[in-house]
Amino acid sequence: MSVRPLVLVVAPGDEEYRGYCLEQVADAYDVAVITIGPLTWETPYVVDHETVSDFGDVDGLITAAEAIAGRRPIAGVLTWNESHLTAVARLAEHLALAVTSVESVLTCRDKAAGRAAFARHGVPSARSITATSLDEALAAADEIGFPVVVKPGAVGGSIGVIKAEKREDLAAAYAFAARGVQLHGGDNASVLVEEYLDGEEVSVECVTVQGVTTAVAVTRKELGPEPLFEEVGHTLTADDPLLETVAPIAAAAVKATGVSGGIQHVEMRLTATGPRVIEVNGRIGGDWIGWAVGRATGLSLPRIAADIATGTTPDLTPTRGQSVAIKVLYTPQSGALTKRSIVPGFAETAGWVHGPAWLMNVGEQVLLPPDGDLDSSRVGLFATYADTLELAVARRTATANHITVTTSGPGAEDQ
């Protein structure tokens, strides 16, 4: 039997987005997983496995985890799936392996509770009012003042988030946010109306160990056109001078939520009055941001998450100084995906391309926002890296010029 500690990963996700997470944990730990169905891509990284019918069923998770624990002791529990953070926190608490409280996880998941926590602790954020009807949303927007942002109360990935420039826009914005709630659920079924924060959007990637938070990287976001807030790209560099400015604000935001352990993805806007926090996500960032942190700094966030989950003090000393540029691939219009390809041999010859990872197959229907969301609109993603940010971005542009994604229908064009 292996002498390595066993880490239980709940909902490892898909290989394209989260495969690197499971791989990096398995580099240092033995891994058991709980999934909905049989193992597929996870098999090479896993030594034990149980299934459940619903990740939200805490009793089912407990039964599956106890079956694994009956065969071998579990040293730590984690997930990087936003939708299942609360259930997994309850599971970890039941197994006496929690590194933070269920209450703190709920505070992060519930955007209104997060805003209230920021206000109590003096963390710069945005004014926010909960609305359960259009009339309440109109009253909230009038009180806050236009423009406003309307969003689901507990849904990640920018799903259902939209800007209402004026009062006449609010009915459509409220319906859009409410649809996000209906389709994607969450711990809070309400809609929030919030003060619009103007300025560059960034995320701060944080590690918290026994209540002490260290910001290890800052990611600069690239967004599609308003009124939506679709993330279309990211850049991250190990020596970004912005980190020194945003780190204490991110740490204060994490502390305000009560989170005492794990990885946090803290989103904020750089406004004219200074950085203001949007939300604290109690997980590794999506869109390969965790991979980018590792590529740029040498710090493996999945490995660090496993360290914290097992009570091991992680080493947060950077071992690399590079830059990464990520691009999410969209088609110019909705329709059936007719082509998705990269010039053969380009990535291999270049040596500085990660991916592309394809999220859709030819023949599948692409539905772009506002009608669709990230699950229906993203065809793939790739990343490039270099010793400088300027070169990483230039390489991203060069790589995009070697990629084709098209849909059927009038006016379809290559991207």
Side-chain angles (χ1 to χ4, degrees), residues 140-224:
D142 287 339
E143 183 177 337
I144 291 171
F146 287 91
V148 294
V149 175
V150 188
K151 64 173 63 171
V155 177
S158 299
I159 293 171
V161 183
I162 190 168
K163 179 183 179 183
E165 193 71 43
K166 54 188 184 299
R167 204 170 195 273
E168 292 75 15
D169 300 331
L170 197 67
Y174 182 82
F176 182 75
R179 180 172 177 267
V181 173
Q182 180 183 12
L183 292 178
H184 296 275
D187 297 324
N188 180 342
S190 64
V191 166
L192 302 183
V193 180
E194 299 192 337
E195 174 188 4
Y196 172 70
L197 301 178
D198 195 11
E200 181 184 0
E201 184 169 333
V202 303
S203 63
V204 188
E205 319 314 328
C206 297
V207 175
T208 301
V209 182
Q210 296 182 354
V212 177
T213 298
T214 302
V216 298
V218 58
T219 307
R220 296 180 184 256
K221 307 290 187 182
E222 297 166 355
L223 304 179

Side-chain angles (χ1 to χ4, degrees), residues 29 85 317:
Y29 292 90
L85 288 170
T317 306

Side-chain angles (χ1 to χ4, degrees), residues 59-91:
D59 289 339
L61 288 178
I62 289 172
T63 299
E66 288 180 342
I68 293 171
R71 297 186 286 268
R72 183 172 165 191
I74 297 171
V77 180
L78 67 138
T79 187
W80 34 77
N81 190 304
E82 174 73 26
S83 301
H84 310 315
L85 288 170
T86 305
V88 174
R90 296 190 190 281
L91 170 63

Side-chain angles (χ1 to χ4, degrees), residues 115 123-127 149 194-202 220 226 229 242 245-246 249 267-278:
R115 293 286 194 208
V123 177
S125 184
R127 192 175 181 195
V149 175
E194 299 192 337
E195 174 188 4
Y196 172 70
L197 301 178
D198 195 11
E200 181 184 0
E201 184 169 333
V202 303
R220 296 180 184 256
E226 293 183 347
F229 296 85
L242 180 62
T245 299
V246 298
I249 299 170
E267 298 178 348
M268 60 179 71
R269 283 261 180 159
L270 307 180
T271 74
T273 59
R276 296 172 70 181
V277 175
I278 299 172

Side-chain angles (χ1 to χ4, degrees), residues 334-350:
S334 299
L337 184 64
T338 55
K339 188 173 183 179
R340 38 143 250 200
S341 65
I342 183 170
V343 172
F346 173 78
E348 295 80 2
T349 301

